[in-house]
Amino acid sequence: VDRRADLIGPLFIPRSRRRTVIVLAIAAVLYTAILIGRLSNSDEGNGILGLEVIPIALVALELGLLPGLGVAAASMCAVVVWALTKDISINVGEYLFRAAVYFPIAIMVGWGAGRLRGAEQTIATRERRLRSIVESSTDALVTMDANGRILAWNPVAEDLFGWSPDEALGRDLAELTMPPQVRELMREGKRRFLEEDDWSMIGVRFESRGLTRDGREFPIECSISAVRESDQWIFHVFGHDITERKAIEDERKRLASIVESTGDAIISFTLDGRITSWNPGAEQVYGYSEAEGLRMSMFDFVPPDRPDDVGPLLTRVRDGGRLDNVEFDRVGKGGRSVDVAVTVTPITNASGRIVAAAAIHRDISDRKRRERYLTAQHGATRLLAQVPDLDEVGPAILPMIGSAGSWLCAAYWQAVEKAGLRCTSTWTTPITRLPVSPANEGTLTERREGQLEVDWVIGEQANDLPSGEQAALGGLRTQIWVPVVVSGELFGAFQFFDRRQRDWDDELMGTLTSITEQISNYVQRRRAEEEVERAKDEFFGLVSHELRTPLTSIIGYGELLAESEADRLTEQGRKHLSVIRRNAQREMRLVGDLLLLVRIQEGSFRMELEDVDLYRVVEQAVEAARPAADKRGIELHTRADASPECAGDPQRLGQVLDNLLSNAIKFTPNGGRVAVSLTASDGVAAIEVTDSGMGIPEDEQQRLFDRLYRARSATASAIPGVGLGLTIVKAIVDAHRGRILVESEPGAGATFRVELPVQAKPPTTQEVTE
Amino acid sequence: MTDRANVILVADDDEDILELVCLTLEQAGYETIRARNGEEALSLALRHLPDACVLDVVMPERTGLEVIEVLRDTEETTDIPILLLTATVREQDLPPGIEKQGQGYLRKPFSPRELQERAASMLR
């Protein structure tokens, strides 16, 4: 390549034209010299004729045949004209004859030489051009002969395959650059071309595999051209690495296959909700084919009884918002409800404006259904704990399991003695009108011709249920009966309907069975409890009657004796009588306490609330306790800083003070001190009973209120009692919404403090000391 | 009050309590008629038309309440004051409507003085 010409070309005449000019100039000079020679040697005109041949040949060489001929003709004419006019000794006839012989030869020689050079030049140019193409090509370009030997190897081929031209030239192309399986294909293709004239591989692009020097295979795109060169076919092979393109293509294919094969619905839609793409997953989730889906809008999937949630979503997307796994309930083909977790991403156009959105809807119906079943099961447990009447159990639970099972409508039938079943309750989805009603006659109100496609009875006792024909209503295709069997007898039955044919759902059936079992167990338990209740009532009757009737006699006769016959008794007799009466009273109180305690426990403890003057209550209790205190030399001190009133039962509050005082006196040594104080502040009245007894260890303080708990000191000192007093005190105080506290230091006495809510009254200070 | 002492019919199947009630009422100056079951109480009441009745609730033959029902349906005894004796402890176990005009109840055990007071107020 003449790079110099390229660089400084504009300053010089281009090479070929320059040579033409030079050659023509030489021709002109020669011709001029010939003319001058002729002029000076006029006699020797013919002698120079031979010289004229040279410029003519040069012109023919540079300018071609016709200019050569022209120059030759002009030269002949000039000589002839000159010879005739100047009268020189020239034989015109001979000159013309010689010119006719020499000039054409000169022209032919010059022209031929010119053609030859031109052809050479063309070849060189073409080769240069070709080489520059080959060398600057971004494709690997390899030339091979019919035997597969490499004839040319460009730099790209070197880069691509790793072989330098020195190493590659002369080697077998297939061996060098192709993995084994491709080699055979290539050889076979070449054989078919050479032997069968099969051009199918020539001039087309195809993908193949290449092999590098270090043994790595890579995808390559090739094309082959065949050229006939001196009885030999040679082949130019172009190729380039398409690893990247393949990777991108593969990735695109992979993504496409994900979109095609995923079970998730992948839907794209415009900002007005119109659907623009719909993958097979969307068909799976919603039941609509791609053709159907593409005609729909995102608004079509909102359940009819639900407020629109797509509009706000679209607004959000328009503002660039996303949605990540948000749960929606949708409605699919045939009104089937579908729970989905939705992820939405805005789609922007080239200028970054949001023009659409892509959404992934994952079907989470199974999980949601399972959740609903669990909720129903727990709900049933909760409801059972709240339902007071056994007949209300079914109706209370019906809506919950109806909606949990996504039924269209449901009914509960109660077993009625001798009358079979009666429909006592129905349930239906908010958007459905129920074809069943809690009929007076207890039958389905509307009967149409039809056949149920699914008609199951879960569990036993199927014979007692109304037949499936009764449920063959218009449009309803599935009916399920779930009987509730208690102790082998039909208690009631749930009936569920659906418009579509339902497949057997183990989990649903498991849930229903478990709920009916729960109901059954509950009913059984309730019946057992009622039995216990009856037994308890009987026990109460016994205690009341059989225990209290003899006591009535003992107390009554004792009183009669003490009042009317006392003077006839001896001193000893009166003493004995008083022991009998005192103990009868004690037993009476004990029976009273026991009965009260049972009432508290069963929750039937009721008080008659009225305004109670707490000061009076305290005063009365102290007066009642005084004889017992006096007898043991115990000082009984009362201090009242207020006279609060509280809403309470005066007798019960009296009982509280009686018990606390009797305990205080019991646990105080002879000659000790018991103090009662009444104070009121901040809406709380506090009554404190303090003794100077042995005190209560801290670990015992809270257990004091347990039923039948007796302080260790009490047991140790043989202080009488059964351990009911404080339990009753606490129950009464609790019922008054008050509280009881105990403070004690062992050896330093104890203080029981009862706090009751009050309406505050102006304080009046009264002090009584005995 | 007239010179004639008020007559009270007492019915209880427990002999001791029947005796106790009668003694207590007699001490207070009433005359008593004794019945040992509901049937006897009813026939004695209809025969003697007492000024008041003290009836045990739980009695053989007829309960105190059944006796009351007949007495109230009978013209001569329809207004007769009646005191029922009951050993029932729980309010909810009391027969409904036990307390009304001309009719009350007294829980066992009772003190004789309390019975005398109730009898007096009944016949006032």
Side-chain angles (χ1 to χ4, degrees), chain A residues 533 536-537 540-541 543-545 548-553 555-557 559-560 563-565 588 595-596 598-599 602 604 606 608, chain B residues 13-21 23-24 27 56 58 86-93 107-114 116:
Chain A
E533 198 68 15
K536 205 147 90 185
D537 285 349
F540 261 99
V543 170
S544 302
H545 201 260
R548 289 157 68 94
T549 302
L551 269 174
T552 308
S553 287
I555 290 170
Y557 282 101
E559 196 173 320
L560 275 185
E563 284 186 2
S564 52
E565 310 286 330
M588 192 61 215
L595 291 172
L596 178 66
V598 174
R599 271 200 272 174
E602 68 172 14
S604 65
R606 272 177 204 85
E608 279 156 35
Chain B
D13 59 324
D14 187 313
E15 192 75 38
D16 293 339
I17 291 182
L18 178 67
E19 189 65 31
L20 175 67
V21 173
L23 276 176
T24 308
Q27 268 190 359
D56 189 18
V58 183
T86 173
T88 302
V89 185
R90 304 190 294 181
E91 307 281 337
Q92 75 230 48
D93 294 341
R107 277 211 180 106
K108 292 180 190 177
F110 49 85
S111 99
R113 200 174 299 132
E114 199 180 354
Q116 287 171 352

Coordinates of all heavy atoms in Angstrom, one line a residue, chain A residues 533 536-537 540-541 543-545 548-553 555-557 559-560 563-565 588 595-596 598-599 602 604 606 608, chain B residues 13-21 23-24 27 56 58 86-93 107-114 116:
Chain A
E533 N -75.2 -30.3 87.6 CA -76.0 -29.2 88.1 C -77.2 -29.7 88.9 O -77.5 -29.3 90.0 CB -76.5 -28.3 87.0 CG -76.9 -26.9 87.4 CD -75.8 -26.1 87.9 OE1 -74.6 -26.4 87.7 OE2 -76.1 -25.1 88.6
K536 N -76.1 -31.2 92.0 CA -75.8 -30.2 93.0 C -77.1 -29.6 93.6 O -77.1 -29.4 94.8 CB -75.0 -29.1 92.3 CG -74.1 -28.3 93.2 CD -72.9 -27.8 92.5 CE -73.0 -26.5 92.0 NZ -71.9 -26.0 91.2
D537 N -78.1 -29.4 92.8 CA -79.3 -28.9 93.3 C -79.9 -29.9 94.3 O -80.4 -29.5 95.4 CB -80.3 -28.8 92.2 CG -80.0 -27.5 91.4 OD1 -79.2 -26.7 91.8 OD2 -80.6 -27.4 90.3
F540 N -78.0 -29.5 97.4 CA -78.5 -28.3 98.2 C -79.7 -28.6 98.9 O -79.9 -28.2 100.1 CB -78.7 -27.2 97.2 CG -77.5 -26.2 97.1 CD1 -76.6 -26.3 96.1 CD2 -77.4 -25.3 98.1 CE1 -75.5 -25.5 96.1 CE2 -76.3 -24.4 98.1 CZ -75.4 -24.5 97.1
G541 N -80.6 -29.3 98.3 CA -81.9 -29.7 98.9 C -81.6 -30.4 100.2 O -82.2 -30.2 101.3
V543 N -78.7 -30.6 102.0 CA -78.1 -29.7 103.0 C -79.1 -28.8 103.6 O -79.2 -28.7 104.9 CB -77.0 -28.9 102.4 CG1 -76.5 -27.9 103.4 CG2 -75.8 -29.8 102.0
S544 N -79.9 -28.2 102.8 CA -80.9 -27.3 103.3 C -81.9 -28.0 104.3 O -82.1 -27.6 105.4 CB -81.7 -26.7 102.2 OG -80.9 -26.1 101.3
H545 N -82.4 -29.0 103.7 CA -83.5 -29.7 104.5 C -83.0 -30.5 105.6 O -83.4 -30.3 106.8 CB -84.4 -30.5 103.5 CG -85.7 -30.7 104.1 ND1 -86.1 -31.9 104.7 CD2 -86.8 -29.9 104.1 CE1 -87.3 -31.8 105.1 NE2 -87.8 -30.6 104.7
R548 N -80.7 -28.5 108.1 CA -81.2 -27.3 108.8 C -82.5 -27.6 109.6 O -82.8 -27.0 110.5 CB -81.5 -26.2 107.7 CG -80.2 -25.6 107.2 CD -80.4 -24.9 105.9 NE -81.2 -23.8 106.0 CZ -80.8 -22.5 106.1 NH1 -79.5 -22.3 106.2 NH2 -81.6 -21.5 106.1
T549 N -83.2 -28.6 109.1 CA -84.4 -29.0 109.9 C -84.1 -29.4 111.3 O -84.7 -28.9 112.2 CB -85.2 -30.1 109.1 OG1 -85.5 -29.6 107.8 CG2 -86.5 -30.4 109.8
P550 N -83.2 -30.3 111.5 CA -82.8 -30.7 112.9 C -82.3 -29.4 113.7 O -82.6 -29.3 114.9 CB -81.7 -31.7 112.8 CG -81.6 -32.1 111.4 CD -82.4 -31.2 110.6
L551 N -81.5 -28.6 113.0 CA -81.0 -27.4 113.6 C -82.1 -26.5 114.1 O -82.1 -25.9 115.1 CB -80.1 -26.6 112.7 CG -78.6 -27.0 112.8 CD1 -77.8 -26.3 111.7 CD2 -78.0 -26.7 114.1
T552 N -83.2 -26.4 113.2 CA -84.3 -25.6 113.6 C -84.9 -26.1 114.9 O -85.2 -25.3 115.8 CB -85.4 -25.8 112.5 OG1 -84.8 -25.5 111.2 CG2 -86.5 -24.8 112.7
S553 N -85.0 -27.4 115.1 CA -85.5 -27.9 116.3 C -84.6 -27.6 117.5 O -85.1 -27.1 118.5 CB -85.7 -29.4 116.2 OG -86.8 -29.7 115.4
I555 N -82.3 -25.2 117.9 CA -82.3 -23.8 118.2 C -83.6 -23.3 118.8 O -83.6 -22.6 119.8 CB -81.9 -23.0 117.0 CG1 -80.4 -23.3 116.6 CG2 -82.1 -21.5 117.2 CD1 -79.9 -22.7 115.3
G556 N -84.7 -23.8 118.1 CA -86.0 -23.3 118.5 C -86.3 -23.8 120.0 O -86.7 -23.0 120.8
Y557 N -86.1 -25.1 120.2 CA -86.4 -25.6 121.5 C -85.5 -25.0 122.6 O -85.8 -24.7 123.7 CB -86.3 -27.1 121.5 CG -87.6 -27.8 120.9 CD1 -87.6 -28.2 119.7 CD2 -88.8 -27.8 121.7 CE1 -88.8 -28.8 119.1 CE2 -89.9 -28.4 121.2 CZ -89.9 -28.8 119.9 OH -91.1 -29.4 119.3
E559 N -84.2 -22.1 122.6 CA -84.7 -20.7 122.9 C -85.9 -20.8 123.8 O -86.0 -20.0 124.8 CB -85.0 -20.0 121.6 CG -85.1 -18.5 121.8 CD -85.2 -17.8 120.4 OE1 -84.5 -18.2 119.4 OE2 -86.0 -16.8 120.4
L560 N -86.8 -21.7 123.4 CA -88.0 -21.8 124.3 C -87.6 -22.2 125.7 O -88.1 -21.6 126.6 CB -88.9 -23.0 123.7 CG -89.9 -22.6 122.6 CD1 -90.7 -23.9 122.3 CD2 -90.8 -21.5 123.0
E563 N -86.0 -19.3 127.5 CA -86.9 -18.1 127.8 C -88.0 -18.5 128.8 O -88.3 -17.7 129.7 CB -87.6 -17.6 126.5 CG -86.5 -16.8 125.8 CD -87.1 -16.1 124.6 OE1 -88.4 -16.3 124.3 OE2 -86.4 -15.5 123.8
S564 N -88.6 -19.7 128.7 CA -89.7 -19.9 129.6 C -89.5 -20.9 130.7 O -90.2 -21.0 131.7 CB -90.9 -20.4 128.7 OG -90.5 -21.5 127.9
E565 N -88.4 -21.7 130.6 CA -88.2 -22.7 131.6 C -86.9 -22.5 132.4 O -86.5 -23.3 133.2 CB -88.1 -24.1 130.9 CG -89.2 -24.5 130.0 CD -90.5 -24.8 130.7 OE1 -90.5 -25.3 131.8 OE2 -91.6 -24.5 130.1
M588 N -74.9 -23.4 112.9 CA -75.8 -22.7 112.0 C -75.0 -21.8 111.1 O -75.2 -21.7 109.9 CB -76.8 -21.9 112.9 CG -77.9 -21.3 112.2 SD -78.9 -22.6 111.4 CE -79.3 -21.7 110.0
L595 N -72.8 -22.8 102.6 CA -73.8 -22.5 101.5 C -73.4 -21.3 100.8 O -73.5 -21.2 99.5 CB -75.2 -22.5 102.1 CG -75.7 -23.8 102.6 CD1 -77.0 -23.6 103.3 CD2 -75.9 -24.8 101.5
L596 N -73.0 -20.3 101.5 CA -72.6 -19.0 100.9 C -71.4 -19.2 99.9 O -71.4 -18.7 98.8 CB -72.2 -18.0 101.9 CG -71.8 -16.6 101.4 CD1 -72.9 -15.9 100.7 CD2 -71.2 -15.8 102.6
V598 N -70.5 -22.0 98.4 CA -70.9 -22.7 97.2 C -71.6 -21.7 96.3 O -71.3 -21.8 95.1 CB -71.9 -23.9 97.6 CG1 -72.4 -24.5 96.3 CG2 -71.1 -24.9 98.5
R599 N -72.4 -20.8 96.8 CA -73.1 -19.9 95.9 C -72.0 -19.0 95.3 O -72.2 -18.6 94.1 CB -74.0 -19.0 96.8 CG -75.4 -19.7 96.8 CD -76.4 -18.6 97.2 NE -76.5 -18.6 98.6 CZ -77.3 -17.6 99.2 NH1 -77.9 -16.7 98.5 NH2 -77.4 -17.6 100.5
E602 N -70.4 -20.9 92.4 CA -71.2 -21.2 91.2 C -71.7 -19.9 90.6 O -72.3 -19.9 89.6 CB -72.3 -22.1 91.5 CG -73.4 -21.5 92.4 CD -74.6 -22.3 92.6 OE1 -74.6 -23.5 92.2 OE2 -75.6 -21.8 93.1
S604 N -73.8 -17.7 91.7 CA -75.2 -17.3 92.0 C -75.3 -16.4 93.2 O -76.3 -16.1 93.7 CB -76.1 -18.5 92.1 OG -75.7 -19.2 93.3
R606 N -75.7 -13.3 95.0 CA -76.2 -12.0 94.7 C -76.4 -11.2 95.9 O -76.7 -11.7 97.0 CB -77.5 -12.1 93.9 CG -77.3 -12.3 92.4 CD -78.5 -12.5 91.7 NE -78.2 -13.2 90.4 CZ -78.1 -14.5 90.3 NH1 -78.3 -15.3 91.3 NH2 -77.8 -15.0 89.2
E608 N -78.1 -7.6 97.7 CA -79.1 -6.5 97.5 C -78.4 -5.2 97.8 O -78.1 -5.0 99.0 CB -80.3 -6.8 98.4 CG -81.3 -7.8 97.7 CD -82.1 -8.5 98.7 OE1 -82.5 -7.9 99.7 OE2 -82.4 -9.7 98.5
Chain B
D13 N -94.5 -31.9 108.4 CA -94.4 -33.4 108.5 C -93.3 -33.7 109.6 O -93.3 -34.9 110.0 CB -94.1 -34.0 107.2 CG -92.8 -33.5 106.6 OD1 -92.5 -32.2 106.8 OD2 -92.0 -34.2 106.0
D14 N -92.5 -32.8 110.0 CA -91.6 -33.0 111.1 C -92.2 -32.7 112.4 O -92.6 -31.6 112.7 CB -90.3 -32.1 110.9 CG -89.2 -32.5 111.9 OD1 -89.5 -32.6 113.1 OD2 -88.0 -32.5 111.4
E15 N -92.5 -33.8 113.2 CA -93.2 -33.8 114.4 C -92.6 -32.7 115.4 O -93.4 -31.9 115.9 CB -93.2 -35.1 115.1 CG -94.2 -35.3 116.2 CD -95.6 -35.4 115.7 OE1 -95.9 -36.1 114.7 OE2 -96.5 -34.8 116.4
D16 N -91.3 -32.7 115.5 CA -90.6 -31.8 116.4 C -90.9 -30.3 116.0 O -91.1 -29.5 116.9 CB -89.1 -32.1 116.5 CG -88.8 -33.5 117.1 OD1 -89.7 -34.0 117.8 OD2 -87.7 -34.0 116.8
I17 N -90.7 -30.1 114.8 CA -90.9 -28.7 114.4 C -92.4 -28.3 114.5 O -92.7 -27.2 114.9 CB -90.4 -28.5 112.9 CG1 -88.8 -28.7 113.0 CG2 -90.7 -27.1 112.3 CD1 -88.1 -28.5 111.7
L18 N -93.3 -29.2 114.1 CA -94.7 -28.9 114.3 C -95.0 -28.5 115.8 O -95.6 -27.5 116.0 CB -95.5 -30.2 113.9 CG -97.0 -30.1 114.1 CD1 -97.6 -29.1 113.1 CD2 -97.7 -31.5 113.8
E19 N -94.4 -29.3 116.7 CA -94.6 -29.0 118.1 C -94.0 -27.7 118.5 O -94.6 -26.9 119.2 CB -93.9 -30.2 118.9 CG -94.2 -30.2 120.4 CD -95.7 -30.4 120.7 OE1 -96.3 -31.2 119.9 OE2 -96.2 -29.9 121.7
L20 N -92.8 -27.4 117.9 CA -92.1 -26.2 118.3 C -92.9 -25.0 117.8 O -93.1 -24.0 118.5 CB -90.7 -26.2 117.6 CG -89.9 -24.9 117.7 CD1 -89.4 -24.7 119.1 CD2 -88.7 -25.0 116.8
V21 N -93.4 -25.1 116.5 CA -94.1 -24.0 116.0 C -95.4 -23.7 116.8 O -95.7 -22.6 117.2 CB -94.5 -24.2 114.5 CG1 -95.5 -23.1 114.0 CG2 -93.2 -24.3 113.7
L23 N -96.1 -24.7 120.0 CA -95.7 -24.2 121.3 C -95.4 -22.7 121.3 O -95.9 -21.9 122.1 CB -94.5 -24.9 121.8 CG -94.8 -26.3 122.5 CD1 -93.5 -26.9 122.9 CD2 -95.7 -26.1 123.8
T24 N -94.6 -22.3 120.3 CA -94.2 -20.9 120.2 C -95.5 -20.0 120.0 O -95.6 -19.0 120.6 CB -93.3 -20.7 119.0 OG1 -92.2 -21.6 119.1 CG2 -92.7 -19.3 119.0
Q27 N -97.6 -19.9 123.1 CA -97.1 -19.0 124.1 C -97.4 -17.5 123.8 O -97.6 -16.7 124.7 CB -95.5 -19.1 124.0 CG -95.0 -20.1 125.0 CD -93.5 -20.0 125.1 OE1 -92.9 -19.2 124.4 NE2 -92.9 -20.8 125.9
D56 N -95.5 -25.9 106.1 CA -94.2 -26.3 105.6 C -94.3 -26.4 104.0 O -95.3 -26.8 103.5 CB -93.8 -27.6 106.2 CG -92.4 -28.0 105.9 OD1 -91.6 -27.1 105.5 OD2 -92.0 -29.2 106.1
V58 N -92.3 -28.4 102.0 CA -92.1 -29.7 101.5 C -92.8 -30.7 102.5 O -92.4 -30.8 103.6 CB -90.6 -30.1 101.5 CG1 -90.4 -31.5 100.9 CG2 -89.9 -29.1 100.6
T86 N -89.7 -22.6 104.9 CA -88.9 -23.3 103.9 C -87.4 -23.5 104.4 O -86.9 -22.6 105.1 CB -88.9 -22.5 102.6 OG1 -88.0 -23.1 101.7 CG2 -88.5 -21.1 102.8
A87 N -86.9 -24.6 104.0 CA -85.5 -24.8 104.4 C -84.6 -24.4 103.2 O -83.4 -24.6 103.3 CB -85.3 -26.3 104.7
T88 N -85.2 -23.9 102.1 CA -84.4 -23.5 101.0 C -83.4 -22.4 101.3 O -83.7 -21.5 102.0 CB -85.4 -23.0 99.9 OG1 -86.3 -24.1 99.6 CG2 -84.6 -22.7 98.6
V89 N -82.2 -22.5 100.7 CA -81.2 -21.6 101.0 C -81.1 -20.6 99.9 O -80.9 -19.4 100.0 CB -79.8 -22.2 101.2 CG1 -78.8 -21.2 101.6 CG2 -79.9 -23.3 102.3
R90 N -81.1 -21.1 98.6 CA -80.8 -20.2 97.5 C -82.1 -19.6 97.0 O -83.2 -20.2 96.9 CB -80.3 -21.1 96.3 CG -79.0 -21.8 96.7 CD -78.3 -22.4 95.6 NE -79.1 -23.5 95.0 CZ -78.7 -24.2 93.9 NH1 -77.5 -23.9 93.4 NH2 -79.5 -25.1 93.5
E91 N -82.0 -18.3 96.7 CA -83.2 -17.5 96.2 C -83.8 -18.2 95.0 O -85.0 -18.3 94.9 CB -82.7 -16.1 95.8 CG -81.9 -15.4 96.8 CD -82.8 -14.7 97.9 OE1 -84.0 -14.5 97.6 OE2 -82.3 -14.4 99.0
Q92 N -82.9 -18.7 94.1 CA -83.4 -19.3 92.9 C -84.2 -20.6 93.1 O -85.0 -21.0 92.2 CB -82.3 -19.5 91.9 CG -81.5 -20.7 92.2 CD -80.0 -20.4 92.2 OE1 -79.5 -19.5 92.8 NE2 -79.2 -21.2 91.5
D93 N -84.1 -21.2 94.3 CA -84.8 -22.4 94.5 C -86.2 -22.2 95.1 O -87.0 -23.1 95.2 CB -84.0 -23.3 95.4 CG -82.7 -23.8 94.8 OD1 -82.6 -23.7 93.5 OD2 -81.8 -24.3 95.5
R107 N -87.5 -18.6 106.7 CA -86.5 -19.7 106.4 C -86.2 -20.4 107.7 O -86.1 -19.8 108.8 CB -85.2 -19.0 105.9 CG -85.2 -18.7 104.5 CD -83.8 -18.8 104.0 NE -83.8 -18.5 102.5 CZ -83.3 -17.4 102.0 NH1 -82.8 -16.5 102.8 NH2 -83.3 -17.2 100.7
K108 N -86.1 -21.7 107.6 CA -85.6 -22.5 108.7 C -84.1 -22.4 108.7 O -83.5 -22.4 107.6 CB -86.0 -24.0 108.5 CG -87.5 -24.3 108.5 CD -87.7 -25.7 108.3 CE -89.2 -26.1 108.1 NZ -89.3 -27.5 107.8
P109 N -83.4 -22.4 109.8 CA -84.0 -22.4 111.1 C -84.4 -21.0 111.5 O -83.8 -20.0 111.0 CB -82.9 -22.9 112.0 CG -81.6 -22.5 111.3 CD -81.9 -22.5 109.8
F110 N -85.5 -20.9 112.2 CA -85.9 -19.5 112.6 C -85.9 -19.5 114.2 O -85.9 -20.5 114.8 CB -87.3 -19.3 112.1 CG -88.3 -20.4 112.4 CD1 -88.9 -20.5 113.6 CD2 -88.5 -21.5 111.5 CE1 -89.8 -21.5 113.9 CE2 -89.3 -22.5 111.8 CZ -90.0 -22.6 113.0
S111 N -85.9 -18.3 114.7 CA -85.9 -18.2 116.1 C -87.4 -18.1 116.5 O -88.2 -17.5 115.8 CB -85.1 -17.0 116.6 OG -85.9 -15.9 116.9
P112 N -87.8 -18.6 117.6 CA -89.2 -18.6 118.0 C -89.7 -17.2 118.1 O -90.9 -16.9 117.7 CB -89.2 -19.2 119.4 CG -88.0 -20.2 119.4 CD -87.0 -19.5 118.5
R113 N -88.9 -16.2 118.5 CA -89.3 -14.9 118.6 C -89.7 -14.3 117.2 O -90.7 -13.6 117.0 CB -88.2 -14.0 119.2 CG -88.8 -12.7 119.8 CD -87.7 -12.0 120.6 NE -87.2 -12.7 121.7 CZ -85.9 -12.9 122.0 NH1 -85.0 -12.4 121.2 NH2 -85.5 -13.6 123.0
E114 N -88.9 -14.7 116.3 CA -89.1 -14.2 114.9 C -90.5 -14.7 114.4 O -91.2 -14.0 113.7 CB -88.0 -14.7 114.0 CG -87.8 -14.0 112.7 CD -86.6 -14.6 111.9 OE1 -85.9 -15.5 112.4 OE2 -86.5 -14.2 110.7
Q116 N -93.0 -15.5 116.2 CA -94.1 -14.8 116.9 C -94.3 -13.4 116.2 O -95.5 -13.0 116.0 CB -93.7 -14.6 118.4 CG -93.9 -15.9 119.1 CD -93.3 -15.8 120.6 OE1 -92.7 -14.8 120.9 NE2 -93.5 -16.9 121.3

